[in-house]
Amino acid sequence: MEDTKSYLQAFAKLNTAMREKCPLVHNITNYVTVNDVANATLAIGASPIMADAIEEAANIASISSALVINIGTLNARTVESMIAAGRAANEKNIPIVFDPVGAGASAFRNKTTERLLQELKISILRGNLSEISFIAGVSASTKGVDVSEGDSANDAQAICQKVAKERNCSVVVTGKTDFVSNGLRLAKVDNGVALLSKVTGTGCMTSAITGAYAGASDDMFVAALAGVSSMGIAGEIAFEKSADKGTGSFRVSLIDALSQLQAETILKRAKIR
Amino acid sequence: MEDTKSYLQAFAKLNTAMREKCPLVHNITNYVTVNDVANATLAIGASPIMADAIEEAANIASISSALVINIGTLNARTVESMIAAGRAANEKNIPIVFDPVGAGASAFRNKTTERLLQELKISILRGNLSEISFIAGVSASTKGVDVSEGDSANDAQAICQKVAKERNCSVVVTGKTDFVSNGLRLAKVDNGVALLSKVTGTGCMTSAITGAYAGASDDMFVAALAGVSSMGIAGEIAFEKSADKGTGSFRVSLIDALSQLQAETILKRAKIR
Amino acid sequence: MEDTKSYLQAFAKLNTAMREKCPLVHNITNYVTVNDVANATLAIGASPIMADAIEEAANIASISSALVINIGTLNARTVESMIAAGRAANEKNIPIVFDPVGAGASAFRNKTTERLLQELKISILRGNLSEISFIAGVSASTKGVDVSEGDSANDAQAICQKVAKERNCSVVVTGKTDFVSNGLRLAKVDNGVALLSKVTGTGCMTSAITGAYAGASDDMFVAALAGVSSMGIAGEIAFEKSADKGTGSFRVSLIDALSQLQAETILKRAKIR
């Protein structure tokens, strides 16, 4: 209870501090949602840079405040850049957020996910239950890049904690309830709406704004919590404004809400247990 | 006349069935409109996955319900992935929709278009008149990736039927009137508005939602008809809502309309001859 | 004073002429903002084509009315295509607009920027103060791909003129005030709003619509002026309509405003000194 209250305070405070710092966030991400990732990063108050050429990946990572790696449309070329950027980030203790999009869906994604987890020190790992289940070694039924149904919330909490302990990082499992754990601490976030799954990139954007928070914080657990709850709150606000119009309008309202999200709204709306 | 009525019924029924099935649709597509393609696919009720690495293209295609190949920004690397994914799809009788973006505009596009048609069994081929004319071997005046003016509707019907027979697949030629043929059957669709050509990716989105329908149907002619008419209807609804505001708003309303398109609206609005 | 008035008249006239011509504009650009670039190009009245494969880059450039090169997410493969397309454009006297995104931020970007300027005849160079300062050889403090603060407007004018003379092209330095020079002529543009920097791709879109104007003009100075002022005016209109809603809505209104921008509005709103 005390914890919950302190997390909420820390989250709201971090939002303000991050907007003041405007951290540079290096994204090596997929080309499907990269524009939304950039706009979400700007909206939340940070400055995005996308650079995936091996010739500059390490360079750019080393001048950034955070690195976000997303394997949504990985290929042999960009995987090497992810590794190079990740090593440069690790050398300078720049936090890395890793989004293992579609882990479990192909051998190539599985192998790359494992490689990134082995070769890099990841600060925050964020995925849906199918993806994190794959990393946990739990038999998961990944169906493409969207979460498979039929996995229960109880599993999500246990898997979140297991992976956090085993991989020694903060883990976020997104779903109806989001679970955040660093192995010691655990929080549940009840923000968000189902419609978020009908817009592509809401997961990628969540990882990106988590990177923005990570780039302005020393507490990766709080940054992870802030990222996932920010997207959930923005989703709720967008839903209230535009759900009846359709998913195109909902997506516009989502960016609107992120761009106007500040401590006051966070304190009022965040549902952290 | 009977045919027309039965097509309409089949289209409306397929929309409902597809939304229930939520087929996984694998897209190897261009990076210009890929985000719209993903959001249109989600809006119409299917689940998109983008994967163009040779290491996983066949893998992902083989777990999908349909494959959509779009050469809008093809390169040597992705063409090989198109072939590999296409072969995997063919082996499992997974339908392939092929969008030959800009065929006729460069030797590389021409050669790749011919290669894909030779090496793969395509279920549905969708393009504008310039593109399909190129495939027909009719001298066309492709101007970039947008359709060239001055080609008449009579040509479109003849070319549509010619290519359908020669290539043994369903062919859609989009334009003021859209023509759909599988060599035996022919339908004309009068839905749509000219403003659709002022938003990038409306052709790509048409191919993508055609893939969604194909992934939930055994009748490729009906799936092709459903795809092109769905986009036309959504365009009309978006036009009514937002044309006076400008093309940015029109595009948002287009996704809105796709996300709310259901059998009832289809039965009311589809203009199939 | 006389000059200013004639520039304004030329700009308004060019807008009309460009919309009538609908020039084909070849973009080799980054995958972050490529969709916005395509939609902005369509909105302003031109026809975009994106093609970055070495197998067709020269081909496509040679059938276009302008080429826009943007190094936002450059890599070894696309840099060669930029060179090949650029040479083909130069051979046919097709104007090239070059946007050196993030010049100064990594050795790879710096080397590529210098190479493109050396090997190609550039008609219009457009960047923010950090980027153009790097090209001027002035010590700049590039922070990622967004402009660094603390550089003064006086510097911008001097640097704009210096680079225009040294590189023998029209140069645009965007900022609170935009500076346009071809070494002989100079104009200052006061259109625009700060919120434009909170949406990704507004710089890229400015370069793209500059390419559209360049593709319909013999006067690169006027084309450069038209491009930067068009985006500024559209930004103001979008701000009036949507700034209070958030950056998602602002971005939609920006494309709306571009799509409705015509001579009358230009004559009323352009602030050229």
Side-chain angles (χ1 to χ4, degrees), chain B residues 31-33 36 72-76 105-106 108-109 143-146 198-200 244-249 251-252, chain C residues 22 24 31 34-35 38-39 42-43 47-53 55-56 59-60 63 77 251-252 255-256 259-260:
Chain B
Y31 59 83
V32 183
T33 65
D36 291 327
T73 54
L74 79 176
N75 63 51
S106 81
F108 184 46
R109 281 173 202 247
K143 182 200 171 195
V145 293
D146 295 319
K198 293 299 173 192
V199 172
T200 194
D244 58 323
K245 292 182 197 154
T247 56
S249 294
R251 177 184 168 224
V252 172
Chain C
C22 190
L24 183 65
Y31 58 83
V34 60
N35 184 268
N39 275 321
L42 283 165
S47 178
I49 183 164
M50 278 63 181
D52 67 16
E55 289 87 349
E56 66 171 354
N59 238 266
I60 298 290
I63 60 164
R77 181 180 73 77
R251 177 184 168 224
V252 173
I255 299 290
D256 280 347
S259 74
Q260 298 184 333

Side-chain angles (χ1 to χ4, degrees), chain B residues 52-65:
Chain B
D52 67 16
I54 189 72
E55 290 87 350
E56 66 170 355
N59 238 266
I60 298 291
S62 68
I63 60 165
S64 299
S65 295

Side-chain angles (χ1 to χ4, degrees), chain B:
Chain B
M1 198 59 178
E2 272 317 293
D3 280 354
T4 297
K5 207 171 157 185
S6 76
Y7 297 157
L8 177 59
Q9 297 288 346
F11 166 20
K13 206 170 146 189
L14 176 56
N15 179 274
T16 306
M18 186 264 291
R19 285 189 179 274
E20 265 160 34
K21 182 183 177 185
C22 189
L24 183 66
V25 183
H26 180 197
N27 286 272
I28 302 184
T29 188
N30 70 74
Y31 59 83
V32 183
T33 65
V34 61
N35 184 268
D36 291 327
V37 158
N39 275 321
T41 303
L42 283 165
I44 205 72
S47 178
I49 183 165
M50 278 63 181
D52 67 16
I54 189 72
E55 290 87 350
E56 66 170 355
N59 238 266
I60 298 291
S62 68
I63 60 165
S64 299
S65 295
L67 170 66
V68 180
I69 295 175
N70 174 310
I71 62 166
T73 54
L74 79 176
N75 63 51
R77 181 180 73 77
T78 52
V79 169
E80 295 312 317
S81 299
M82 290 169 189
I83 294 286
R87 282 185 184 147
N90 280 170
E91 265 172 39
K92 292 200 156 191
N93 285 316
I94 295 162
I96 303 177
V97 177
F98 174 36
D99 188 335
V101 181
S106 81
F108 184 46
R109 281 173 202 247
N110 299 352
K111 210 182 60 182
T112 300
T113 296
E114 197 46 53
R115 185 178 167 203
L116 291 166
L117 287 168
Q118 288 294 339
E119 299 195 18
L120 304 178
K121 159 111 199 67
I122 302 297
S123 298
I124 302 174
L125 174 65
R126 192 214 65 83
N128 61 36
L129 183 53
S130 302
E131 292 154 354
I132 306 298
S133 292
F134 166 77
I135 292 169
V138 176
S139 141
S141 49
T142 299
K143 182 200 171 195
V145 293
D146 295 319
V147 67
S148 302
E149 287 171 45
D151 300 307
S152 82
N154 288 337
D155 291 343
Q157 176 173 331
I159 285 167
C160 179
Q161 290 179 299
K162 175 179 172 1
V163 173
K165 273 176 203 151
E166 286 176 3
R167 304 295 180 156
N168 194 28
C169 63
S170 286
V171 174
V172 183
V173 179
T174 45
K176 191 167 156 38
T177 293
D178 307 309
F179 295 90
V180 184
S181 174
N182 67 354
L184 301 170
R185 293 185 276 172
L186 172 75
K188 304 173 197 176
V189 180
D190 289 319
N191 293 112
V193 291
L195 197 61
L196 282 165
S197 68
K198 293 299 173 192
V199 172
T200 194
T202 51
C204 305
M205 286 187 259
T206 303
S207 295
I209 62 179
T210 300
Y213 284 120
S217 177
D218 290 328
D219 188 333
M220 292 301 114
F221 176 78
V222 168
L225 194 60
V228 72
S229 180
S230 291
M231 179 54 73
I233 293 170
E236 291 170 13
I237 295 171
F239 185 89
E240 291 160 17
K241 213 166 268 182
S242 299
D244 58 323
K245 292 182 197 154
T247 56
S249 294
F250 174 69
R251 177 184 168 224
V252 172
S253 294
L254 189 66
I255 300 289
D256 280 348
L258 285 174
S259 74
Q260 298 183 333
L261 185 69
Q262 301 212 333
E264 201 189 335
T265 307
I266 289 166
L267 292 170
K268 212 181 299 173
R269 283 195 176 250
K271 293 180 198 151
I272 299 169
R273 284 184 285 153

Side-chain angles (χ1 to χ4, degrees), chain A residues 26-170:
Chain A
H26 180 197
N27 286 272
I28 302 185
T29 189
N30 69 74
Y31 59 82
V32 183
T33 65
V34 61
N35 184 268
D36 292 326
V37 158
N39 275 321
T41 303
L42 283 165
I44 205 71
S47 178
I49 183 164
M50 277 63 182
D52 67 16
I54 189 71
E55 289 88 350
E56 66 170 356
N59 238 268
I60 298 290
S62 67
I63 59 164
S64 299
S65 295
L67 169 66
V68 179
I69 296 175
N70 175 310
I71 61 166
T73 54
L74 78 177
N75 63 52
R77 182 181 72 76
T78 52
V79 169
E80 296 311 317
S81 298
M82 290 170 188
I83 293 286
R87 283 184 184 146
N90 280 171
E91 265 172 39
K92 293 200 154 192
N93 286 315
I94 294 162
I96 303 176
V97 176
F98 174 37
D99 188 335
V101 181
S106 81
F108 184 45
R109 281 173 201 248
N110 299 352
K111 209 181 61 180
T112 301
T113 296
E114 196 48 53
R115 186 180 166 202
L116 290 167
L117 287 168
Q118 287 293 339
E119 298 194 19
L120 303 178
K121 159 112 199 65
I122 302 298
S123 297
I124 302 174
L125 174 66
R126 193 214 66 82
N128 61 36
L129 184 53
S130 302
E131 292 155 353
I132 305 299
S133 293
F134 165 76
I135 292 169
V138 177
S139 141
S141 49
T142 300
K143 181 201 172 193
V145 295
D146 295 318
V147 68
S148 302
E149 287 171 47
D151 301 306
S152 83
N154 288 337
D155 291 344
Q157 177 174 328
I159 284 167
C160 179
Q161 290 179 299
K162 173 178 177 350
V163 173
K165 273 177 204 151
E166 285 176 4
R167 303 295 180 157
N168 194 26
C169 64
S170 287

